[in-house]
Amino acid sequence: GTYEIQMADGRVVMQQGHGVKDLSGRAAGYLWLFEDITRERQTAEQLIYLAERDALTGLYNRHRFNEELTRMIADAQRNGSRLALLFFDLDDFKYVNDTFGDRAGDAMLIRVAGEVAGQVRRNELFSRLGGDEFGILVPDISDEMLRVLADRITRSIASVCFQFEGENVRLTTSLGIAVYPDHADSPEDLIGRADMAMYTAKEAGKNTWRFYRSDL
């Protein structure tokens, strides 16, 4: 058989055992082969990381987000539970990029990702979906807890102060919430309705959050 051995110093060694027979076909012993596969394993893990992570923030990327959204909706359907999507972007982020340059914008995205990541629990998935758009998948949560989480996220982003070229800059966020199966019955509809809720928050004056409402 083949086994992997995790060494105390962090290396990974693959062990292979082969039975050896004599000329008459009787068992004579075993041949053991040991191969250090640490570098190969690290390379494979790095490729997986690059395939599912955003290069700038280190958050999960849209590809991994879409995979997890499909899986988590299937789990919610099977268990009769709920899945919430919190979808948000940064208000007036284009102004920062246009005024102070892409490096300033990147610094803001990294800082915001770090601030919000501190609000996310282990069973939740936080992703950068592209540009200044982010999404959080939250399984099996009540509306009241969603209100608390959304309020905490918008407050944490608004509290961050940046300084570029001697000017203090603060960003706010508009956040939309949609819940499966209350508001949508497919991954595509859930994304679309969370996006609609986010624009409802923008129309309400930004720096706030809104649940999806079908009458709007």
Side-chain angles (χ1 to χ4, degrees), residues 2-16 32-38 41:
T2 301
Y3 303 93
E4 289 185 4
I5 304 170
Q6 185 72 47
M7 308 297 285
D9 61 2
R11 289 180 299 135
V12 181
V13 173
M14 184 171 65
Q15 168 190 297
Q16 297 182 53
W32 299 98
L33 302 176
F34 297 90
E35 180 183 4
D36 188 332
I37 60 169
T38 307
R41 178 56 50 81

Short mmCIF file of all heavy atoms in Angstrom, two decimals, residues 2-16 32-38 41:
data_model
loop_
_atom_site.label_atom_id
_atom_site.label_comp_id
_atom_site.label_asym_id
_atom_site.label_seq_id
_atom_site.Cartn_x
_atom_site.Cartn_y
_atom_site.Cartn_z
N THR A 2 0.18 2.39 -0.15
CA THR A 2 0.84 3.70 -0.17
C THR A 2 0.29 4.55 0.96
O THR A 2 -0.93 4.64 1.13
CB THR A 2 0.61 4.40 -1.52
OG1 THR A 2 1.13 3.59 -2.57
CG2 THR A 2 1.31 5.75 -1.55
N TYR A 3 1.17 5.18 1.70
CA TYR A 3 0.76 6.02 2.83
C TYR A 3 1.56 7.32 2.81
O TYR A 3 2.69 7.35 2.34
CB TYR A 3 1.00 5.30 4.16
CG TYR A 3 0.31 3.97 4.28
CD1 TYR A 3 0.98 2.81 3.93
CD2 TYR A 3 -1.01 3.88 4.71
CE1 TYR A 3 0.35 1.57 4.02
CE2 TYR A 3 -1.64 2.66 4.81
CZ TYR A 3 -0.96 1.50 4.46
OH TYR A 3 -1.59 0.28 4.55
N GLU A 4 0.95 8.36 3.35
CA GLU A 4 1.66 9.61 3.53
C GLU A 4 1.96 9.82 5.00
O GLU A 4 1.09 9.63 5.85
CB GLU A 4 0.85 10.79 2.98
CG GLU A 4 0.75 10.80 1.46
CD GLU A 4 0.06 12.03 0.93
OE1 GLU A 4 -0.29 12.92 1.76
OE2 GLU A 4 -0.16 12.13 -0.28
N ILE A 5 3.19 10.21 5.29
CA ILE A 5 3.62 10.41 6.66
C ILE A 5 3.95 11.89 6.86
O ILE A 5 4.77 12.44 6.12
CB ILE A 5 4.86 9.56 6.98
CG1 ILE A 5 4.58 8.08 6.69
CG2 ILE A 5 5.30 9.75 8.42
CD1 ILE A 5 5.82 7.20 6.76
N GLN A 6 3.28 12.52 7.82
CA GLN A 6 3.56 13.92 8.15
C GLN A 6 4.68 13.96 9.17
O GLN A 6 4.53 13.49 10.30
CB GLN A 6 2.32 14.60 8.71
CG GLN A 6 2.48 16.09 8.97
CD GLN A 6 2.54 16.91 7.70
OE1 GLN A 6 1.73 16.72 6.80
NE2 GLN A 6 3.51 17.80 7.62
N MET A 7 5.83 14.50 8.79
CA MET A 7 6.98 14.54 9.68
C MET A 7 6.86 15.69 10.68
O MET A 7 6.15 16.66 10.43
CB MET A 7 8.27 14.69 8.87
CG MET A 7 8.40 13.65 7.74
SD MET A 7 8.51 11.96 8.33
CE MET A 7 10.20 11.96 8.94
N ALA A 8 7.57 15.58 11.79
CA ALA A 8 7.50 16.61 12.84
C ALA A 8 8.04 17.95 12.35
O ALA A 8 7.64 19.00 12.85
CB ALA A 8 8.28 16.15 14.07
N ASP A 9 8.94 17.93 11.36
CA ASP A 9 9.53 19.18 10.87
C ASP A 9 8.73 19.79 9.72
O ASP A 9 9.16 20.75 9.10
CB ASP A 9 10.98 18.95 10.44
CG ASP A 9 11.11 17.95 9.30
OD1 ASP A 9 10.05 17.45 8.82
OD2 ASP A 9 12.24 17.64 8.88
N GLY A 10 7.56 19.22 9.41
CA GLY A 10 6.69 19.78 8.39
C GLY A 10 6.78 19.09 7.04
O GLY A 10 5.94 19.33 6.16
N ARG A 11 7.79 18.25 6.85
CA ARG A 11 7.91 17.55 5.57
C ARG A 11 6.84 16.47 5.44
O ARG A 11 6.32 15.96 6.43
CB ARG A 11 9.29 16.91 5.44
CG ARG A 11 10.43 17.91 5.23
CD ARG A 11 11.76 17.19 5.11
NE ARG A 11 12.05 16.44 6.32
CZ ARG A 11 12.52 15.20 6.34
NH1 ARG A 11 12.72 14.55 5.21
NH2 ARG A 11 12.77 14.59 7.48
N VAL A 12 6.52 16.12 4.19
CA VAL A 12 5.58 15.04 3.90
C VAL A 12 6.35 13.96 3.15
O VAL A 12 6.98 14.23 2.12
CB VAL A 12 4.38 15.52 3.06
CG1 VAL A 12 3.42 14.36 2.80
CG2 VAL A 12 3.66 16.67 3.75
N VAL A 13 6.30 12.74 3.68
CA VAL A 13 7.01 11.62 3.06
C VAL A 13 5.99 10.58 2.63
O VAL A 13 5.09 10.21 3.40
CB VAL A 13 8.03 10.98 4.05
CG1 VAL A 13 8.63 9.71 3.46
CG2 VAL A 13 9.12 11.98 4.40
N MET A 14 6.10 10.12 1.39
CA MET A 14 5.23 9.07 0.89
C MET A 14 5.91 7.72 1.05
O MET A 14 7.06 7.54 0.62
CB MET A 14 4.87 9.30 -0.58
CG MET A 14 3.86 8.27 -1.11
SD MET A 14 3.25 8.69 -2.77
CE MET A 14 4.75 8.54 -3.73
N GLN A 15 5.24 6.80 1.67
CA GLN A 15 5.77 5.45 1.91
C GLN A 15 5.03 4.46 1.03
O GLN A 15 3.81 4.44 0.99
CB GLN A 15 5.58 5.08 3.38
CG GLN A 15 5.83 3.61 3.69
CD GLN A 15 5.40 3.26 5.09
OE1 GLN A 15 5.95 3.77 6.06
NE2 GLN A 15 4.41 2.38 5.21
N GLN A 16 5.77 3.62 0.32
CA GLN A 16 5.20 2.55 -0.49
C GLN A 16 5.77 1.22 -0.03
O GLN A 16 6.98 1.09 0.17
CB GLN A 16 5.52 2.75 -1.98
CG GLN A 16 4.92 4.01 -2.58
CD GLN A 16 5.24 4.11 -4.06
OE1 GLN A 16 4.99 3.19 -4.83
NE2 GLN A 16 5.82 5.23 -4.46
N TRP A 32 10.49 -1.44 1.10
CA TRP A 32 9.88 -0.17 1.48
C TRP A 32 10.58 0.97 0.75
O TRP A 32 11.80 1.05 0.74
CB TRP A 32 10.00 0.08 2.99
CG TRP A 32 9.32 -0.97 3.82
CD1 TRP A 32 9.90 -2.05 4.41
CD2 TRP A 32 7.93 -1.05 4.11
NE1 TRP A 32 8.97 -2.79 5.08
CE2 TRP A 32 7.74 -2.20 4.91
CE3 TRP A 32 6.82 -0.27 3.78
CZ2 TRP A 32 6.49 -2.58 5.38
CZ3 TRP A 32 5.59 -0.64 4.25
CH2 TRP A 32 5.42 -1.79 5.04
N LEU A 33 9.77 1.81 0.13
CA LEU A 33 10.30 2.98 -0.58
C LEU A 33 9.75 4.24 0.10
O LEU A 33 8.55 4.33 0.37
CB LEU A 33 9.88 2.98 -2.05
CG LEU A 33 10.29 1.77 -2.88
CD1 LEU A 33 9.72 1.88 -4.30
CD2 LEU A 33 11.81 1.64 -2.94
N PHE A 34 10.63 5.19 0.35
CA PHE A 34 10.23 6.44 0.97
C PHE A 34 10.65 7.61 0.07
O PHE A 34 11.81 7.67 -0.34
CB PHE A 34 10.89 6.60 2.35
CG PHE A 34 10.47 5.54 3.32
CD1 PHE A 34 11.18 4.35 3.43
CD2 PHE A 34 9.36 5.73 4.13
CE1 PHE A 34 10.79 3.37 4.32
CE2 PHE A 34 8.97 4.76 5.03
CZ PHE A 34 9.68 3.57 5.12
N GLU A 35 9.69 8.50 -0.22
CA GLU A 35 9.97 9.64 -1.11
C GLU A 35 9.48 10.93 -0.45
O GLU A 35 8.33 11.01 -0.01
CB GLU A 35 9.27 9.45 -2.45
CG GLU A 35 9.52 10.59 -3.43
CD GLU A 35 8.76 10.42 -4.73
OE1 GLU A 35 7.97 9.46 -4.84
OE2 GLU A 35 8.93 11.27 -5.62
N ASP A 36 10.34 11.92 -0.41
CA ASP A 36 9.97 13.23 0.13
C ASP A 36 9.16 13.97 -0.94
O ASP A 36 9.69 14.34 -1.99
CB ASP A 36 11.23 14.02 0.48
CG ASP A 36 10.92 15.32 1.23
OD1 ASP A 36 9.81 15.87 1.02
OD2 ASP A 36 11.77 15.79 2.00
N ILE A 37 7.87 14.19 -0.67
CA ILE A 37 6.99 14.85 -1.65
C ILE A 37 6.56 16.23 -1.16
O ILE A 37 5.55 16.78 -1.61
CB ILE A 37 5.75 13.99 -1.96
CG1 ILE A 37 4.94 13.75 -0.67
CG2 ILE A 37 6.14 12.67 -2.62
CD1 ILE A 37 3.56 13.14 -0.93
N THR A 38 7.34 16.80 -0.25
CA THR A 38 6.97 18.10 0.34
C THR A 38 6.80 19.17 -0.72
O THR A 38 5.80 19.90 -0.73
CB THR A 38 8.04 18.54 1.36
OG1 THR A 38 8.26 17.48 2.29
CG2 THR A 38 7.60 19.79 2.09
N ARG A 41 3.71 18.66 -2.89
CA ARG A 41 2.49 18.98 -2.16
C ARG A 41 2.33 20.49 -2.01
O ARG A 41 1.22 21.02 -2.17
CB ARG A 41 2.55 18.30 -0.79
CG ARG A 41 1.36 18.58 0.13
CD ARG A 41 0.03 18.21 -0.53
NE ARG A 41 0.07 16.89 -1.07
CZ ARG A 41 -0.12 15.77 -0.34
NH1 ARG A 41 -0.32 15.88 0.96
NH2 ARG A 41 -0.10 14.61 -0.91
#
